[in-house]
Amino acid sequence: MEVILYIAAIIAAIGFLVLCVSIGMTLFSLKSILNSLAGTLAGIEGQMEGITRETTSLLTKTNSLAEDIQDKSKQLNSVVHAVKGIGDSVNGLNTSVQQITSSISTNIEQNEEKIAQVVQWSNVAMGIADKWKKRKIIEQAPEVVRKDPYSYETVYEDKPKRKWGRKK
């Protein structure tokens, strides 16, 4: 039974040796994987530093652009208010013109007969003025009278042509 005990101890030692060798091989293969992973992480860390710098720069530019946009928006708001004021002024002017136009048309409708009378009287006055001008021209014109022995009418010759006055 002692032999069995030695055999069992040898088998246990061989099993332990196989276990240690397999654990060693696993650790060596794991070492190469971990080294590769460490290299990859170092590369990612470098890239992350570059990304962080670019992100910081981009964030700074974005903030300056946002401030510039806010300033320009404030300036544009003043322009929009000015244009709105011009629009309100134009609307007020349109309203005033409409009121004046309606007032004038109402006054014309109310005074239509008076206007017609004024037009008639002005036509009469212009007719009288024309006749008066013709009479003056005839009075100032040199008369060359030719008497026809067979008629009782006086015929005027060489009348000056009218150069001014109202045309008929």
Side-chain angles (χ1 to χ4, degrees):
M1 187 149 180
E2 249 182 63
V3 176
I4 295 184
L5 193 58
Y6 288 122
I7 293 178
I10 290 177
I11 291 177
I14 291 175
F16 185 72
L17 181 65
V18 170
L19 177 67
C20 285
V21 169
S22 65
I23 288 176
M25 289 175 55
T26 303
L27 288 177
F28 278 120
S29 67
L30 187 62
K31 179 182 176 184
S32 66
I33 291 173
L34 288 176
N35 286 336
S36 173
L37 185 60
T40 303
L41 286 177
I44 289 175
E45 183 180 347
Q47 289 178 357
M48 288 301 290
E49 286 177 11
I51 290 173
T52 303
R53 272 183 269 133
E54 289 293 324
T55 303
T56 304
S57 170
L58 188 62
L59 186 60
T60 304
K61 289 179 183 178
T62 303
N63 287 338
S64 67
L65 281 175
E67 289 174 7
D68 187 42
I69 288 172
Q70 286 177 348
D71 292 341
K72 289 183 179 174
S73 174
K74 289 177 185 176
Q75 293 172 357
L76 186 61
N77 284 340
S78 65
V79 171
V80 167
H81 289 300
V83 169
K84 183 180 181 287
I86 290 171
D88 292 341
S89 298
V90 168
N91 285 339
L93 181 63
N94 284 342
T95 304
S96 298
V97 168
Q98 287 174 351
Q99 289 173 350
I100 290 170
T101 304
S102 65
S103 171
I104 289 172
S105 65
T106 303
N107 287 340
I108 288 175
E109 289 173 3
Q110 291 173 353
N111 299 325
E112 192 171 326
E113 291 180 23
K114 293 178 183 177
I115 292 171
Q117 288 176 355
V118 168
V119 169
Q120 287 175 350
W121 282 109
S122 64
N123 286 337
V124 168
M126 288 196 312
I128 291 171
D130 281 343
K131 287 182 182 180
W132 184 70
K133 287 177 187 176
K134 285 181 185 178
R135 183 174 291 161
K136 281 238 181 201
I137 290 172
I138 291 172
E139 288 174 358
Q140 292 174 357
E143 295 184 31
V144 177
V145 179
R146 182 187 76 201
K147 293 208 175 194
D148 189 6
Y150 303 108
S151 85
Y152 293 103
E153 294 180 27
T154 305
V155 178
Y156 295 99
E157 292 182 359
D158 295 326
K159 290 183 183 175
K161 292 185 180 178
R162 231 170 103 193
K163 294 184 181 177
W164 52 273
R166 194 170 143 239
K167 293 183 182 178
K168 278 196 168 184

